[in-house]
Structures are given as C-alpha cells and as structure tokens.
C-alpha cells in the first residue's frame, strides 16, 4: 500500500457513553437493531425513513435504482424541494419565530435570524435570481465569506432548482475561474469582503480577475456589501444584493424537483491535477443530512444550539452548518472569522455567549488550541456543551483526551466522524449515548452504512491488519458522479473493485472489537489542516512558474496541521538566492490555488529520484521530508549525490 499512512494508533483506553434521557440511540442494542433491519430489508428501511423524515411534493414509489450501477438513483420518481423542507415546513408547523441562524461577525456583531425571516430572505433572493435569468438547471457559483447571505444564497438556489457550487473564499482567482468554467455558471454570488484576522479580505477583486480572463458563461455578479471596501463595479453585470432583494416580494413558490435533481456541485482534490466537481442529489442528500444530525449529534432542535466551525466552502459546512440543522428545524451558529482572533479564547467565548450545546470542529483546530494553553477555555463557561465532534483527519489520542477533559469536562461524549466530500454525510461515527469510544477510532459504520477493510483484491483482511476502506452498499447521500466526467467517477471510485465496492481512498484497519481505525489516504492526496489537497495540483502550480523544471510534493508529519506540504523542486537554471526564490514560489502557488496550498518547505535539487520506469520515488521523498531513515532501495539510482542534495546536505 502506498501513500501517507499515519502512524498506526495504539490506543486501548475505552470510554463508556454517559447516560442521557431521551437519546436517539441509548444503547448498542438499539444501534444493532436498526442495523439488522437494514441488513434484512435495506430498501424497505430506507423507504420508511425517507417517508418519515422528508416532505415530498410527489411521493416516490421506487427506493433504489441499480440498473446503471455504479450510477445509482434514489427515490427517483419522488419530487420535493430542499428549501421547502428546510424552511416552509417548520414555519407551517408554527416554528417561524425559532432562531434558524445565529451569526457572529469577526468584529463581534451578532445577528439572530428566525425561520420566518430566513424564509422571506430566501424567497427574495430566489425572485431576484430569477429576474437575472436564472432558471431550473442553471449553475450558480457562491464565493462568499461566512455570512448568513451565503446560506440564503444556497437555499435560494435550491428553491428555484439552480445547482449551486460554493467555492471556498480563500481560493485564488485562478482556482475560482477553473471552477466557474467547469461548472458553466451563469451567476456568481460574492461579497465586497469579509473579516479575517481583523482585516477585510477582498473577494470581489478575485471574481473580477477571474472574469477578465475567462468565464464567458457568467452573465451577472451579485455582490453582498459586507466589507465596506472599495471595489470595482461593472455596470450591467454587477448587481448589489441588498438593492436587488429590497424590491422583491417575500414569497416565492418552491419548484417541485426530482429527488435526483443535482442540489450542488462541490469541487475537491483528487490524485490528478484537475479538481473534481462532486455532484450531490436533493432527496438522498437531504435525508442523510437530517438523519445524521439526529443520530450522530443526537440533535434536539428545540433545545440545542449547534455549531459546526467549518466554512461553507467545504462539505462539512454544506451538510452540518446549513442543510442538516435546518432540515431538522434547529438552530445553527455561523462565525465569520478565524478561531484565534483576537485571541485563542474566541471559540470558547462564542460557545459560552450563545450557549452552544453541540460543537463540531477539526483536530487541527484542537491541536492549535492545545498549544495556546488551557487558560483560554478556563476563562469561559463551557457547561452547556453536551456533545463534541471532530472531523477531517485522524485525531491523535492526546488531542482527543484534551478535548474530552478540558473542553468537555469529562461529561461530553466525543464523536469522531469519518466521511468525505463524496459521501455527503457521516459514514463511520460513534453514537454519542450508545457507543463506547476509543480515542482515535471513528468506531463503527452508522446504521444503513456497510463498510469493510479489504486487500487489493477486495478480500476482507484479518482483524488488526491494515487494508483499504470500502463501502459495500450504496447509500442515499452518495455522490451521483463527477460533473461532466462520468468516466472519471467510475475509474476513481468503482473500477478498483470491479464495480462492487465504493473505494474511499483511505487505509484502515479493524481491531479485535470491530472498531475502525482510519490510517490516512492511500493515494496522492494530502490532508493539510483537515483540507484535502492533491499533490499533482500543487506540482502543476509550481511547474507553471517559468523557473521551475520539475516538482514533487509530499506530506511531512506536522503536529498541528497533521500534514505539512514539502516540495522538492528542480530548477531550469542556476539560482543564487534560494531563500528569495522560495518566497517567490510560495507566493506563486498561493496565486494559482490559494494560501492553503503554499508549501511549508521547499528544497531545491539537481534532479528527482526516479525508478527505472521513470516514476518519482515518493516513499523516499517522504522519508527525507520527515527526516527519517530511508527505507526504499536506492541502489538503482544513477546519481547517489542527489540523495544528499535532497536531504539538504549540499
Ligand atoms: C478525507 C475526506 C468529511 C469532511 C471533511 C473532509 C479524511 C475525514 C476523518 C476522520 C480520519 C478522516 C479521510 C477522508 N478524514 N474525516 N474522522 N478520521 N480521517 O472532507 O476533504 O472530502 O476529505 O478526510 O482521509 O478520505 P474531504
């Protein structure tokens, strides 16, 4: 198995779930009973859940269509509207005054938006978009800071049947352009800026730049005024969000859409240079968003305040900041800024100020806050917290224990959720009041999910042995494909195991108690601060610089980021100031992709070590980057001196 397998965790401590009155699952027997029902009658169980948890405009008759597997279709003859499920249905149930979104800006201002008010805003935005010519099936790119208007924009798209594609606000103009063009978006919704670390981070200028050099598909740019900074304005193309919404009626009939209608496209990195546009459906996605909110977070819409710290530019923000909590009719918190502004107590201050009960973040944030010191959480009242979640990368047991004791007061169960952009929602996770947890393990598949660890031939491996993580049955929130590239969908996820299993791209093992332990990606994908980055993507960005002949990217273990980006670079000519060039190349990658892709280390060499067949010896480079002893056979290398150079000794 190749790839960056994280150190295999050895952890035997076990934590029993605390008791909880009225929990969705209160024992492993309850979990097993539902899992058994799925095993005996998978489609019947999904049918029941889909009827009970979603409002259908036209009920479905067929649960799962496998005719064109691996292109699965769920509830396909059913029709619904996602925004109606997230808004109208709660208002009609008399919950219009309940807070849907609590928003805190980085400078500290707070907005509380009720379900009724959110519905009105969404209707106005939907009407405004229609007036700009957006129709069912069109694509809309959303490039926004974490402000409520971002959620309004997503829901407005769903109301009229436009497919949204949210692009993370820290992606560069170049990365934005590629995504706009791939999706063929007619409209871009953006802001004049958002607050990050006390300053306004401009977004509109990146949109302008992207549109100047391409994106012929875009007709309009809708701009939320948030940052108050000077921005360029193209008359006729650019439209002020507030001006446009002001004149619209606050009602808009939701369109009835097929359950299979693409709700959104979200780009993620793969093992080739080009990001993949992961397509998600309406019905299946929303069902799973709602069910996993209830199962994994034991979400109680009447009492809970749920805070997922992810940006809506990632899948976590889609499923657990917006669609999941709203589909349940609960309260979701959105925060605009960085976790350490103005100090390392910000997250805990927000938890205390808004009585957050369920908190969900990434191990990288936890590790950074551990470094900042225990005095920060100690300053704030965290007694309202009842469940803590993590996502995005394996959590090391030390970080788990800190989260459990210092943040959760040994009172709150920890749910370590394993899933991916492609899976739409949680796949492996403890159930907070049922599953005994082991620090570092995502424990078991959720009800309805069937997972296994197999070898390269697809045969299950023995207990405790490392292998590849696969999902053996389709599930409603599974991706429906890669936008515009059905072949790549089949090749990436299905061909490895002859269309039988979904191949996740992660290494894993199951221990003697059946607990799953994720060991990291087995492909050329890095996990940097919980963000997925393709090595080829960063390599192409480097090679696009005129001075670079060749580049290889590997991950180096980092105690905060999980993995840091280590670049080996071969130049076209000589360089007399490597430090200056390093800075130039880092800036270049930032412009090509975004600051998250900036290499942490760059090392220059005369050539890269390759096998006889010309493949870069990545394992060797990973050892060098980590400062480890070299484990790969290098006797075939023609130029042994290169190793010393790569090790930084020359
Ligand atoms: C990859 C997916 C799912 C939302 C955030 C990332 C890694 C995710 C865990 C976890 C160990 C994890 C996997 C996966 N990952 N959660 N709890 N334990 N690894 O979504 O960008 O699509 O990345 O993140 O390697 O394949 P993504």
């Amino acid at each position: 198995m190749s790839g960056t397998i994280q150190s295999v965790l050895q952890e035997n401590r076990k934590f029993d779930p605390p008791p909880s009155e009225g929990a969705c699952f209160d024992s492993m027997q309850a979990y097993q009973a539902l899992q058994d029902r799925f095993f005996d009658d998978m489609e019947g169980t999904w049918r029941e859940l889909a009827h009970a948890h979603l409002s259908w405009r036209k009920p479905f008759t067929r649960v799962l269509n496998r005719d064109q597997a691996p292109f699965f279709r769920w509830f396909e003859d059913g029709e619904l509207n996602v925004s109606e499920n997230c808004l109208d249905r709660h208002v009609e149930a008399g919950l219009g005054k309940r807070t849907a979104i609590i928003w805190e800006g980085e400078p500290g201002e707070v907005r509380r938006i009720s379900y009724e008010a959110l519905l009105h805003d969404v209707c106005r935005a939907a009407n405004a978009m229609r007036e700009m010519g957006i129709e069912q099936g069109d694509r809309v790119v959303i490039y926004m800071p974490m402000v409520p208007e971002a959620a309004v924009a997503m829901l407005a798209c769903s109301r009229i049947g436009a497919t949204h594609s949210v692009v993370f606000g820290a992606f560069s103009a170049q990365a934005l352009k590629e995504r706009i063009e791939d999706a063929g978006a007619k409209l871009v919704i953006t802001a004049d800026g958002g607050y990050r670390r006390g300053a306004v981070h401009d977004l509109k200028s990146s949109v302008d730049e992207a549109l100047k050099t391409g994106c012929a598909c875009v007709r309009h740019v809708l701009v939320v005024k948030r940052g108050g900074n000077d921005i360029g304005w193209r008359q006729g193309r650019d439209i002020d969000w507030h001006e446009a919404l002001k004149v619209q009626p606050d009602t808009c009939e939701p369109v009835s859409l097929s359950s299979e209608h693409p709700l959104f496209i979200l780009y993620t990195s793969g093992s080739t240079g080009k990001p993949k546009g992961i397509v998600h459906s309406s019905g299946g996605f929303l069902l799973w968003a709602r069910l996993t909110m209830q199962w994994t977070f034991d979400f109680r819409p009447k009492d809970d305040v749920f805070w997922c710290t992810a940006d809506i530019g990632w899948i976590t923000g889609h499923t657990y900041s917006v669609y999941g909590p709203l589909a349940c009719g609960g309260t979701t918190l959105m925060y605009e800024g960085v976790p350490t502004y103005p100090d390392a107590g910000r997250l805990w201050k927000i938890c205390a100020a808004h009585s957050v009960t369920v908190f969900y973040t990434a191990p990288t944030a936890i590790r950074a806050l551990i470094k900042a010191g225990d005095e920060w959480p100690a300053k704030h009242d965290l007694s309202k917290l009842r469940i803590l979640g993590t996502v995005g990368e394996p959590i090391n047991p030390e970080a788990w224990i800190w989260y459990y004791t210092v943040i959760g007061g040994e009172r709150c169960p920890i749910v370590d959720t394993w899933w991916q952009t492609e899976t739409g929602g949680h796949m492996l996770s403890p159930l907070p009041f049922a599953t005994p947890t082991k620090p570092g393990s995502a424990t078991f598949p959720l009800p309805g999910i069937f997972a296994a660890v197999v070898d390269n031939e697809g045969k299950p491996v023995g207990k405790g042995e490392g292998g590849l993580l696969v999902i053996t049955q389709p599930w409603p929130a599974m991706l429906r494909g890669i936008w515009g590239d059905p072949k790549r969908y089949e090749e990436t996820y299905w061909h490895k195991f002859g269309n039988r299993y979904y191949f996740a791209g992660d290494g894993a093992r199951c221990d003697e108690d059946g607990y799953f332990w994720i060991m990291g990606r087995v492909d050329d994908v890095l996990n940097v601060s919980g963000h997925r980055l393709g090595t080829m993507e960063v390599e192409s960005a480097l090679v696009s610089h005129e001075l670079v002949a060749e580049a290889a990217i590997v991950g180096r273990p980092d105690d905060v980021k999980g993995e840091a980006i280590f670049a080996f670079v071969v130049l076209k000519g000589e360089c007399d100031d490597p430090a200056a060039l390093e800075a130039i190349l880092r800036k270049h990658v930032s412009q090509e992709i975004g600051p998250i892709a900036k290499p942490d280390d760059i090392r220059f060499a005369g050539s890269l070590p390759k096998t006889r067949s010309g493949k870069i010896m990545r394992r060797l480079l990973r050892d060098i980057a980590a400062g480890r002893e070299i484990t790969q056979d290098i006797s075939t290398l023609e130029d042994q001196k290169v190793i010393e150079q790569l090790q930084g000794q020359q």
Side-chain angles (χ1 to χ4, degrees), residues 31-255:
Y31 159 73
Q32 201 55 53
L34 182 54
Q35 192 62 323
D36 289 347
R37 269 177 61 198
F38 273 110
F39 190 80
D40 295 340
D41 180 12
M42 183 173 120
E43 291 192 21
T45 310
W46 285 120
R47 176 192 305 277
E48 225 173 87
L49 289 166
H51 277 310
H53 290 276
L54 296 179
S55 296
W56 295 89
R57 293 200 142 225
K58 176 173 168 257
F60 61 89
T61 58
R62 189 167 185 186
V63 174
L64 172 60
N65 182 341
R66 297 176 184 257
D67 295 350
Q68 278 146 42
F71 296 91
F72 296 94
R73 293 198 290 272
W74 287 85
F75 319 119
E76 64 177 334
D77 62 343
E79 288 181 8
L80 80 175
N81 183 282
V82 167
S83 84
E84 184 177 38
N85 270 274
C86 290
L87 302 169
D88 308 55
R89 123 168 113 143
H90 309 311
V91 173
E92 280 155 25
L95 306 174
K97 296 280 181 281
R98 182 180 285 172
T99 303
I101 299 177
I102 302 175
W103 175 78
E104 186 166 314
E106 197 190 70
E109 67 272 55
V110 172
R111 281 169 64 188
R112 294 175 153 270
I113 304 168
S114 69
Y115 270 92
E116 201 171 59
L118 186 59
L119 172 61
H120 290 160
D121 277 355
V122 167
C123 287
R124 286 195 187 95
N127 290 329
M129 277 165 48
R130 273 218 178 111
E131 208 171 285
M132 285 167 219
I134 301 303
E135 293 164 11
Q136 186 172 323
D138 286 344
R139 272 84 57 209
V140 173
V141 160
I142 299 176
Y143 184 65
M144 299 266 270
M146 280 293 278
V147 292
E149 287 78 4
V152 171
M154 292 162 79
L155 291 160
C157 286
S158 78
R159 198 157 187 94
I160 61 174
T163 298
H164 61 69
S165 182
V166 182
V167 177
F168 179 48
F171 273 130
S172 68
Q174 177 62 27
L176 173 67
K177 178 177 136 185
E178 285 166 22
R179 287 158 176 77
I180 292 174
E181 289 186 337
D182 190 81
K186 255 195 197 171
L187 170 68
V188 178
I189 307 182
T190 188
D192 65 346
Y195 285 85
R196 288 191 75 76
R197 271 184 204 93
V200 175
H201 161 75
D202 187 7
L203 292 129
K204 173 67 163 58
S205 63
S206 296
V207 177
D208 290 343
E209 200 184 317
L211 267 54
K212 203 164 65 198
T213 51
C215 307
C217 46
V218 174
R219 311 260 174 84
H220 290 291
V221 178
L222 189 52
V223 187
V224 175
K225 297 276 176 71
R226 157 69 184 148
N229 55 345
D230 257 346
I231 50 166
W233 202 262
R234 168 87 75 87
Q235 219 57 45
R237 183 196 73 183
D238 297 349
I239 296 168
D240 181 308
W241 168 279
H242 291 106
E243 298 296 321
L245 265 64
K246 210 165 61 184
V247 297
Q248 295 295 337
D250 62 7
T251 56
C252 169
E253 182 61 17
V255 294

Side-chain angles (χ1 to χ4, degrees), residues 582-603:
E582 209 174 298
I584 291 170
L585 293 179
R586 283 165 56 84
K587 187 160 171 234
H588 178 71
V589 173
S590 205
Q591 279 164 354
E592 288 292 305
I593 305 174
I596 51 167
K598 266 198 290 202
D600 296 275
D601 304 273
I602 299 183
R603 198 162 285 169

